[in-house]
Amino acid sequence: MKFVFTREQENFRQEVKDFVAAEMAAGSFTVDSAGLVARESREFSLKMAERGWIGLTWPRQYFGQGRSYVEKMIMNEELMKYQAPIGYHFLADRQIGPSLINFGTEWQQSFFLSRIVKAEKEAQFCLLFSEPDAGSDLGAVSTAAVEDGDVYVINGQKIWTSEAHMADYGWMLAKTDFDKSVRKHLACSEFIVDMKSPGITIRPIINSAGAHSFNEVFFDDVRIEKKYLVGKKNEGFRQIMAQMDYERAGMERLLQNYSIFDLLKKHVQKMSDEGENGEFYAWVKDQMAQLEIEYAIGRLLCYKNAWIIDQGKKPTTQAALTKAFCTQLEQRLNNVATQILGPISQIRTGTEWSPFPVDLAACYLWGPSYTMQGGSTEILKNIIAQRGLGLPRG
Amino acid sequence: MEFGFTSEQEMLRKSFAEFLNKECPADLVREMIEDEIGFSPSLWKKMAELEWLGLTYDDRYGGMESSFLDLFILFEQIGKVLLPSPLFTSAVMSGLLINDAGDDNLKDSLLPRIIQGKKILTLALLDEQGRLDADEATIEAVQSQGNQFLVNGTRLLVPYAHVADEIIVCAGVKGHGTGGSTLLRIDGKSEGLQTTFLNTLTGEKTFAVRFDDVRVPAGNVIGDVGRGHLHLRGILPKATVLKCGEMLGGLERVVEMSVDYVKERHQFGRPLGSLQAVQHHCADMATYLESTRLIAYQAAYLLSEGLPCETEVAMAKAWASEAYRKTTWIGQQIQGGIGFTEEWDMHLFYKHAKASELAFGSSWFHRAHVFKNMGLS
């Protein structure tokens, strides 16, 4: 039990901090909020690649640095606090790499991993998981991948695909066994799809925050070579569940709105016992302390995930618990921020009356998505109850 | 960052748990509520023999020189079985005060006997409004010419006052020379000292203590005259965090108990625990448990290492207070009618959670402290 970092870890944190500060000072990005993973800059990713900060935890033989997940958590904490634009490589680094290392062929590993760690052109991924009739029940995917000689032919539709319009490759779950007697979880496989393939149509979905982040992706006789099948045929669901742990374990679920908390602190700092309505100010203080406590807990949960992974164990329950806790906190943060600022909190950025340089109204609008994406809070609670506590499936 | 126990800590945890599970079943806890003394003297003796009462003290007093974290691990296990004993008030709070503020004579004479369980001390800190008033103590100690104090006032919710050899108060000294908040040891059998059992929601042995012209020798001051509140403030973080340990253990037991129950209890031809509404309640309990474990162990570790942790201690108590209480609410709900009976154990934890929440500052109090340390005011 140790609730402090080693000297080496503290030094590494400082190194990342200095890098972020220098980049901000040089104007390579400004502090923003909400669309964390969507903020991308290949130039920024290239600078991280130079430092060996992409693929930090991947073993050396897989083009990585072989460093610990705790170190990666430290790095991400410093990057994410200020919303550094890491979207170009973030998803591939977080879950495509580890999946390929676990399940990929030698060719897939050498082709994709080397490109991802160098932030090369055409190395951005999106996740082709959800379908109109397969959301929380991911095993119910019906997009079909049918063998035809040397290729698989893909037909079907994906939805809620973040950044499909930017990505070079898609990581897809598709049905590969059509025998009705086979359980659906044993009937799908994972593929990598070149998003420029003929037969792919991408249609944007504008979310209720007014942004284009989701897409629908249609597959019409898309032919992909068999070498793009990842892992074993019909074992895609099991493989994907391992990947979801990485998707849920990290700080991105805690810190997407950290800049709001930072600005809110500055705002509250200007308040005082004399200047405010006493009852209101007392409430504000209590709320701020509660948020501070929950951030502290969320942070410990994230570091514990990293520590569990470093022990060579699966963090499935812990990651589910972390994601549920942290995303609910982020929703509450934006709510409290609007309540503290009052009516002006609705004014979006770009006017002289906007309360914050970061768009608080947009953050509030994005709120509902946090507790849905990457496993809804309800699905996560099922995992905690069934896998963690051993309760029987309903 | 490391989140696992060392093998030594794991062994210690197991030995605490094995002993307490065997020696302190829930029936004993119930029995002790009816009992006049309120704890088992034979169990008290065994714990003293195991040297649990002297866990963190120096070898010269018969202590084990273990870390504070080890003591925290003990308190987690104590909370799991709700051990009724004066360990917290005597061997921890009173002992630590004497250890930190007392002079060598006092330490040499008193600490060994506290550690051996031969003397029981208790602390009487709360005024009639339930406030910890050490800074401006409303209990009065007037220095008289016969080299003694005359103590007057009332303290509430004093644990085990009926068996205490000595009761420690933080009194406001008036009279000759220096005055102010001062710690005094008062013989439990003093003339003018009257204890009244308070029937509280837990039913534990807790008392009102009235001091009516109680004569206390001047030599019974612990530490410095006028610095009693400071001495007390020195041990409060440790007391608060150990209380959090106790709460963590209780919380853990409620989760175990509730999950076991919904696995076994069948309705609609299936286990209750297969119903999603019940599963989500259980997931919430597990989340309260894990979050409390992390925030409480963080405070215990930092205290143990002597690192600054004012904020972390306040965070731990603020969070544990809410999390434990809410978990017992859920536990009561999903254990249904049987959970609301005397014979079932759940109510013991429901009561403990409320009493612990109100001890050493409520969650609101500690959040105010967290806010103060955020540097925003």
Side-chain angles (χ1 to χ4, degrees):
Chain A
M1 202 80 63
K2 257 187 200 148
F3 287 84
V4 288
F5 295 97
T6 64
R7 185 184 294 271
E8 290 74 25
Q9 288 167 342
E10 291 291 5
N11 289 344
F12 180 52
R13 182 185 293 280
Q14 195 55 47
E15 195 184 337
V16 180
K17 257 186 185 168
D18 292 345
F19 168 74
V20 172
E23 287 297 308
M24 276 169 79
S28 92
F29 71 96
T30 53
V31 176
D32 202 343
S33 198
L36 171 68
V37 183
R39 302 189 81 204
E40 56 179 72
S41 148
R42 190 168 156 247
E43 292 87 277
F44 192 87
S45 291
L46 280 168
K47 287 178 193 164
M48 284 187 57
E50 268 169 41
R51 290 166 171 76
W53 292 354
I54 303 177
L56 191 75
T57 58
W58 305 356
R60 288 190 173 275
Q61 69 266 35
Y62 296 111
F63 309 93
Q65 303 293 323
R67 291 171 76 170
S68 70
Y69 269 88
V70 168
E71 284 172 297
K72 185 172 178 189
M73 200 60 81
I74 291 168
M75 178 181 80
N76 280 345
E77 184 174 18
E78 295 307 323
L79 290 165
M80 289 171 181
K81 261 189 203 163
Y82 303 102
Q83 311 294 303
I86 54 179
Y88 184 78
H89 68 269
F90 180 71
L91 204 118
D93 186 8
R94 179 180 71 185
Q95 61 199 96
I96 303 303
S99 296
L100 286 175
I101 290 165
N102 282 331
F103 307 113
T105 62
E106 227 167 275
W107 172 77
Q108 287 167 349
Q109 288 167 347
S110 71
F111 184 83
F112 288 108
L113 297 179
S114 63
R115 279 169 175 71
I116 293 168
V117 294
K118 285 188 242 154
E120 285 190 0
K121 280 185 187 164
E122 303 193 352
Q124 193 177 1
F125 277 79
C126 63
L127 300 175
L128 298 160
F129 292 177
S130 295
E131 294 183 5
D133 291 322
S136 289
D137 183 10
L138 188 58
V141 289
S142 62
T143 293
V146 179
E147 282 190 72
D148 180 13
D150 293 338
V151 300
Y152 281 93
V153 182
I154 317 292
N155 278 290
Q157 181 197 349
K158 294 286 173 182
I159 194 167
W160 316 126
T161 313
S162 295
E163 313 309 318
H165 55 302
M166 314 284 284
D168 306 297
Y169 291 97
W171 184 278
M172 179 177 67
L173 187 70
K175 200 168 182 67
T176 40
D177 189 332
F178 304 93
D179 180 345
K180 287 213 164 59
S181 65
V182 174
R183 280 186 55 212
K184 62 186 179 184
H185 298 97
L186 303 172
C188 34
S189 308
E190 289 184 297
F191 297 91
I192 294 171
V193 187
D194 185 335
M195 294 300 282
K196 292 185 297 299
S197 307
I200 292 181
T201 311
I202 299 170
R203 197 181 74 81
I205 300 174
I206 305 303
N207 68 23
S208 61
H212 170 204
S213 70
F214 300 136
N215 300 275
E216 285 181 289
V217 183
F218 298 90
F219 295 87
D220 187 11
D221 281 337
V222 175
R223 301 171 75 80
I224 56 177
E225 287 177 55
K226 281 192 171 165
K227 67 176 179 181
Y228 289 99
L229 168 76
V230 181
K232 292 208 178 98
K233 192 181 170 186
N234 297 329
E235 290 205 4
F237 191 80
R238 186 180 61 82
Q239 292 171 201
I240 253 180
M241 286 302 110
Q243 193 181 136
M244 295 305 279
D245 291 347
Y246 296 102
E247 191 174 339
R248 292 169 182 153
M251 285 254 180
E252 59 273 28
R253 308 298 182 184
L254 180 68
L255 297 179
Q256 336 196 42
N257 293 276
Y258 192 78
S259 54
I260 294 291
F261 191 42
D262 226 24
L263 290 162
L264 193 60
K265 283 182 183 172
K266 292 194 178 93
H267 176 79
V268 169
Q269 201 162 20
K270 286 183 271 172
M271 300 168 85
S272 69
D273 281 321
E274 293 76 39
E276 308 297 328
N277 171 312
E279 285 175 35
F280 175 64
Y281 187 48
W283 175 82
V284 168
K285 291 196 279 190
D286 196 49
Q287 292 291 317
M288 291 302 283
Q290 182 66 21
L291 290 169
E292 181 87 345
I293 294 168
E294 292 183 25
Y295 267 107
I297 290 171
R299 187 170 181 265
L300 289 172
L301 287 169
C302 289
Y303 276 108
K304 186 162 176 184
N305 286 332
W307 176 82
I308 289 172
I309 298 171
D310 285 337
Q311 305 297 303
K313 293 180 189 147
K314 281 189 183 192
T316 308
T317 305
Q318 191 76 18
L321 193 154
T322 303
K323 201 237 159 203
F325 183 94
C326 294
T327 51
Q328 291 178 82
L329 160 59
E330 290 212 288
Q331 276 180 347
R332 213 158 37 243
L333 163 73
N334 291 327
N335 183 49
V336 170
T338 59
Q339 290 169 335
I340 291 178
L341 288 162
I344 59 161
S345 66
Q346 301 170 85
I347 306 170
R348 314 224 16 195
T349 42
T351 79
E352 60 180 299
W353 299 282
S354 309
F356 287 165
V358 173
D359 201 335
L360 169 59
C363 291
Y364 182 75
L365 291 174
W366 276 89
S369 72
Y370 305 152
T371 47
M372 291 187 281
Q373 63 195 352
S376 68
T377 302
E378 290 70 24
I379 289 290
L380 300 174
K381 286 185 181 182
N382 289 352
I383 292 172
I384 299 165
Q386 292 167 11
R387 295 243 222 142
L389 301 172
L391 292 175
R393 295 180 72 93
Chain B
M1 284 280 173
E2 281 172 32
F3 295 89
F5 290 119
T6 63
S7 54
E8 290 83 6
Q9 286 166 340
E10 190 55 46
M11 262 167 56
L12 204 59
R13 195 186 67 79
K14 273 195 185 137
S15 71
F16 292 150
E18 273 166 25
F19 178 86
L20 288 169
N21 285 334
K22 181 167 157 274
E23 300 283 340
C24 185
D27 283 344
L28 178 77
V29 181
R30 271 192 205 84
E31 202 183 302
M32 287 303 118
I33 289 167
E34 304 301 326
D35 186 79
E36 208 163 300
I37 299 176
F39 67 96
S40 155
S42 66
L43 185 49
W44 180 247
K45 201 164 162 257
K46 280 186 199 170
M47 291 195 303
E49 281 162 9
L50 287 166
E51 302 183 300
W52 287 6
L53 276 55
L55 217 52
T56 59
Y57 293 96
D58 272 7
D59 179 46
R60 67 180 281 198
Y61 309 120
M64 297 280 279
E65 303 196 348
S66 296
S67 69
F68 178 75
L69 194 57
D70 290 344
L71 186 61
F72 180 86
I73 293 171
L74 172 62
F75 269 83
E76 184 182 350
Q77 297 307 318
I78 283 176
K80 244 182 137 169
V81 298
L82 297 180
L83 170 78
S85 98
L87 195 144
F88 185 62
T89 195
S90 183
V92 175
M93 291 207 53
S94 305
L96 283 180
L97 259 186
I98 290 164
N99 190 60
D100 291 2
D103 59 30
D104 284 346
N105 278 340
L106 180 63
K107 290 200 266 191
D108 286 336
S109 69
L110 211 45
L111 283 179
R113 283 183 287 169
I114 292 175
I115 291 169
Q116 289 157 20
K118 288 180 179 153
K119 260 194 184 248
I120 291 174
L121 273 69
T122 192
L123 275 169
L125 296 176
L126 304 180
D127 70 11
E128 283 172 283
Q129 275 71 47
R131 290 176 303 217
L132 176 65
D133 66 351
D135 287 1
E136 286 180 49
T138 53
I139 188 162
E140 206 178 69
V142 178
Q143 228 166 339
S144 70
Q145 284 171 338
N147 207 21
Q148 62 185 7
F149 296 102
L150 270 188
V151 177
N152 279 288
T154 302
R155 303 279 91 178
L156 291 189
L157 298 166
V158 184
Y160 297 104
H162 63 318
V163 292
D165 298 297
E166 291 182 7
I167 298 174
I168 299 173
V169 297
C170 193
V173 164
K174 289 179 183 158
H176 312 293
T178 51
S181 174
T182 303
L183 293 170
L184 295 176
R185 294 187 293 120
I186 302 179
D187 191 310
K189 304 212 169 37
S190 304
E191 204 177 312
L193 187 155
Q194 191 196 337
T195 59
T196 310
F197 174 66
L198 296 172
N199 191 11
T200 60
L201 70 84
T202 62
E204 286 169 317
K205 292 294 174 285
T206 187
F207 295 82
V209 180
R210 192 190 296 274
F211 302 90
D212 195 5
D213 277 341
V214 173
R215 286 163 202 280
V216 180
N220 280 22
V221 170
I222 304 173
D224 302 323
V225 171
R227 293 174 60 84
H229 59 305
L230 300 176
H231 295 318
L232 197 58
R233 217 173 283 161
I235 66 149
L236 278 181
K238 285 185 179 171
T240 305
V241 170
L242 291 175
K243 187 47 93 173
C244 290
E246 210 183 281
M247 295 163 85
L248 170 63
L251 205 166
E252 207 173 328
R253 185 71 194 105
V254 173
V255 178
E256 284 173 10
M257 197 190 297
S258 306
V259 169
D260 286 350
Y261 179 79
V262 301
K263 278 180 186 170
E264 275 163 33
R265 168 80 174 162
H266 279 64
Q267 287 287 274
F268 313 108
R270 58 201 271 195
L272 272 187
S274 67
L275 300 169
Q276 215 169 40
V278 175
Q279 291 194 348
H280 287 189
H281 272 320
C282 291
D284 289 342
M285 290 199 294
T287 305
Y288 284 131
L289 174 58
E290 178 62 12
S291 50
T292 303
R293 182 180 290 139
L294 290 173
I295 203 86
Y297 264 100
Q298 172 173 261
Y301 170 82
L302 295 173
L303 263 182
S304 196
E305 294 291 309
L307 295 164
C309 56
E310 228 187 280
T311 299
E312 287 82 356
V313 170
M315 283 181 166
K317 183 59 169 60
W319 183 261
S321 295
E322 302 272 330
Y324 187 17
R325 191 197 63 237
K326 286 176 186 168
T327 303
T328 63
W329 285 1
I330 300 171
Q332 289 281 181
Q333 179 68 19
I334 63 178
Q335 288 174 72
I338 189 75
F340 189 58
T341 62
E342 169 69 22
E343 66 179 277
W344 207 251
D345 297 344
M346 186 57 222
H347 67 95
L348 299 170
F349 295 90
Y350 179 79
K351 293 165 182 172
H352 180 244
K354 177 48 79 179
S356 311
E357 175 195 349
L358 301 176
F360 298 103
S362 67
S363 49
W364 176 84
F365 171 88
H366 287 286
R367 281 197 297 274
H369 210 75
V370 169
F371 183 82
K372 209 180 86 212
N373 288 350
M374 287 171 77
L376 305 180
S377 55

